[in-house]
Amino acid sequence: MSPTSSDPETRSPFRRVFLAVVGALVLLCGVFLAIAYLQGPKLSDAQIDLVSAIAQPDQQLRLFLNQQIDDIDPDQITVTPATAVSVSTSGDLVAVQFDTPLRYDTEYTVRIDGVRSAALPQSSTVEHRFTTGAPSPLYLDRGTPNDAIVRVGLKGSEREVIFETPGIGAFAATGQVLVVSTVDAEGISRLMLVSLADGAVEELRLPEEGTVTDLAVSDAGPIIAFTFTPSAPVDGEVFGGRRVLAMNLEQGRTLFTVGELGGEVFPISSWRFVPGARSMVVQGTEDTTFLLDAAPEAVPVPIGRFTDILGISRDGSTMSASDALGGVLVSLEDGETERFEPSLIEGSSPFLGEVEVLPDGDVIEKAALQTTEGRFLVVMAVDDGETGRVLYQTPAQAGSIENFRVSPNGQFVAVEVVPVIADAVSDGYLVDQRSTTITTVIVEIETGLIVRSVEGFGLLW
């Protein structure tokens, strides 16, 4: 009779093999448990929106661990280059939140020491590296026969024409759409949307013939706004019927009057979008200043009375303004104000023009300095609260500084300059008339280095 599986002689080798396999598996599991015990938690995955991280504050790096962990304290985190952060922990997730936008084209290392499992006592160090991108700014180059909206990088000399047409007065951008205003020889404006995806052009209908100025787009949503001046002034109306019009592109193509409430129109002499919000700071008559949502029937919220709005910080928290006594910084969150006394620049007291608070709390300013010869020299400067530092001035002090625009992360400033005033010739446009030699230089704020120069203006980051 042949042996069967029930025979003792057959069962014994099988049992020995089975027990050996089980023992090996138990031993292997023990080894893995020992490794986990000795090594502590490990990083499984990491997520960050690199586009938002260089443009907006409070963006998060989300770190996923291979097990649930104890809460992480901010002092356990080291970020290189140094950046202020806050942190929250939930199960196996650590969310590291950056207080300010990150620098362009920079490798960051985030290290968390003493990461401890919720079940095991052994701790570990978790580390993640990532590299940020860089923006591709747009600017307006007025030429013959067409004006062009051009895209460039922060480095190199390449340029890409995005859209061209005669008579561009101004442009703005939202998502994958350009908003472009043109003006003819009679001062009549057109307004159009241009798709960046396929170049399709859609003309927007204006209420009547007139001129579009102050064109801008909210960076918190597809809301466009502009000041509209009718060709035929309206008798009996403040500013002759000039008003601020807006359109929410998510809600169709209907224009509404900003500041219109109950059929009455709040007169607006000047206005600016608040960065990161769907609201505006507006000035009415007698220098009254309000915060106003860019929506139909919005109720103005009083801020104070100021002679000029000098700038709004890129995080939307602080407005710089002036009144009869000088400069003032205004919180747009609670309306509190504090005096801003500019620091001396090279031993001279500056006369301020436009001012903007940077993400790190320093102030960038367009300032006029009186020279020993009694002339005035206009410079771009940075004020840290103790001293002022000249950031940029035109070569040989022969030119003029027109406007400036700080990058969303506060790393660069685009300065519009006329290099030589004596050679300046107007381009003859009826809207936003500029010198034919106007140039935009992009300056790194920390070092004062010029990283790019383009022949044009209206640069958008």
Side-chain angles (χ1 to χ4, degrees):
M1 176 181 289
S2 62
T4 65
S5 59
S6 60
D7 292 335
E9 293 181 359
T10 305
R11 287 200 308 269
S12 181
F14 175 79
R15 182 176 298 163
R16 286 196 297 269
V17 172
F18 175 77
L19 293 176
V21 170
V22 171
L25 291 175
V26 170
L27 180 61
L28 188 60
C29 289
V31 170
F32 284 135
L33 286 173
I35 292 174
Y37 181 86
L38 293 174
Q39 291 186 344
K42 294 297 179 182
L43 181 65
S44 297
D45 192 18
Q47 297 176 357
I48 184 172
D49 184 341
L50 293 175
V51 175
S52 298
I54 59 175
Q56 301 171 8
D58 302 326
Q59 298 304 297
Q60 289 187 347
L61 168 65
R62 297 165 65 85
L63 301 173
F64 296 89
L65 285 302
N66 63 348
Q67 55 191 286
Q68 292 193 358
I69 61 171
D70 289 340
D71 288 345
I72 300 296
D73 294 325
D75 57 9
Q76 295 176 244
I77 301 176
T78 303
V79 181
T80 307
T83 303
V85 298
S86 57
V87 62
S88 60
T89 312
S90 177
D92 63 351
L93 170 65
V94 180
V96 179
Q97 183 166 294
F98 303 100
D99 293 355
T100 59
L102 302 181
R103 296 172 62 87
Y104 301 137
D105 194 22
T106 300
E107 183 183 79
Y108 280 85
T109 301
V110 177
R111 190 182 77 242
I112 308 177
D113 295 315
V115 180
R116 192 178 298 276
S117 169
L120 298 171
Q122 189 64 32
S123 64
S124 63
T125 296
V126 172
E127 186 172 284
H128 178 66
R129 289 185 175 88
F130 63 91
T131 300
T132 57
S136 298
L138 302 171
Y139 72 95
L140 174 57
D141 183 5
R142 284 179 174 165
T144 303
N146 290 331
D147 300 330
I149 297 170
V150 182
R151 176 186 284 134
V152 294
L154 289 181
K155 299 178 181 179
S157 59
E158 294 185 0
R159 63 195 299 272
E160 177 188 5
V161 174
I162 302 301
F163 177 73
E164 55 183 341
T165 193
I168 298 179
F171 78 99
T174 175
Q176 290 297 303
V177 176
L178 291 178
V179 187
V180 182
S181 68
T182 62
V183 61
D184 63 20
E186 284 73 43
I188 305 302
S189 292
R190 295 172 58 210
L191 192 63
M192 64 191 78
L193 303 179
V194 180
S195 170
L196 291 174
D198 57 15
V201 176
E202 175 189 353
E203 184 162 355
L204 300 177
R205 184 174 181 177
L206 296 173
E208 57 185 303
E209 286 191 345
T211 304
V212 171
T213 55
D214 306 324
L215 177 65
V217 170
S218 167
D219 58 14
I223 301 174
I224 66 174
F226 54 91
T227 301
F228 182 77
T229 304
S231 298
V234 180
D235 293 335
E237 288 195 15
V238 180
F239 306 132
R242 187 184 72 200
R243 57 197 185 276
V244 178
L245 300 179
M247 175 186 294
N248 188 329
L249 297 179
E250 291 178 335
Q251 300 176 1
R253 298 295 184 264
T254 302
L255 288 166
F256 61 89
T257 299
V258 176
E260 183 174 18
L261 185 62
E264 298 292 327
V265 178
F266 174 78
I268 298 174
S269 60
S270 65
W271 62 275
R272 298 183 185 217
F273 271 119
V274 176
R278 295 189 175 194
S279 57
M280 303 172 172
V281 170
V282 303
Q283 275 191 302
T285 56
E286 300 180 352
D287 297 332
T288 52
T289 306
F290 298 83
L291 192 63
L292 181 64
D293 287 341
E297 299 289 319
V299 178
V301 177
I303 300 175
R305 182 171 290 180
F306 308 101
T307 54
D308 289 293
I309 301 172
L310 302 179
I312 304 176
S313 62
R314 293 299 303 173
D315 64 3
S317 66
T318 306
M319 178 182 74
S320 53
S322 62
D323 59 17
L325 300 178
V328 63
L329 300 179
V330 185
S331 169
L332 295 180
E333 297 176 354
D334 54 24
E336 291 189 4
T337 63
E338 62 175 300
R339 282 285 147 203
F340 172 62
E341 298 293 340
S343 304
L344 296 179
I345 302 176
E346 298 181 350
S348 177
S349 297
F351 298 90
L352 295 184
E354 191 173 0
V355 172
E356 184 173 324
V357 180
L358 298 173
D360 62 4
D362 289 354
V363 172
I364 189 167
E365 55 198 28
K366 176 183 173 183
L369 306 177
Q370 190 169 16
T371 66
T372 55
E373 297 82 12
R375 299 185 302 110
F376 281 95
L377 170 66
V378 178
V379 301
M380 291 300 304
V382 179
D383 187 343
D384 64 6
E386 296 182 359
T387 59
R389 169 174 59 92
V390 174
L391 180 65
Y392 175 82
Q393 59 186 8
T394 60
Q397 303 175 10
S400 67
I401 294 176
E402 305 293 306
N403 303 315
F404 71 88
R405 186 174 178 85
V406 178
S407 65
N409 68 351
Q411 186 178 355
F412 296 94
V413 58
V415 186
E416 296 177 6
V417 302
V418 177
V420 182
I421 296 177
D423 296 339
V425 177
S426 170
D427 60 19
Y429 277 57
L430 296 179
V431 174
D432 202 9
Q433 190 174 106
R434 296 301 182 94
S435 167
T436 55
T437 59
I438 192 164
T439 301
T440 298
V441 292
I442 301 177
V443 184
E444 187 175 41
I445 295 174
E446 182 179 355
T447 63
L449 294 176
I450 297 175
V451 299
R452 186 76 193 256
S453 177
V454 297
E455 296 179 354
F457 64 97
L459 184 139
L460 297 179
W461 292 97

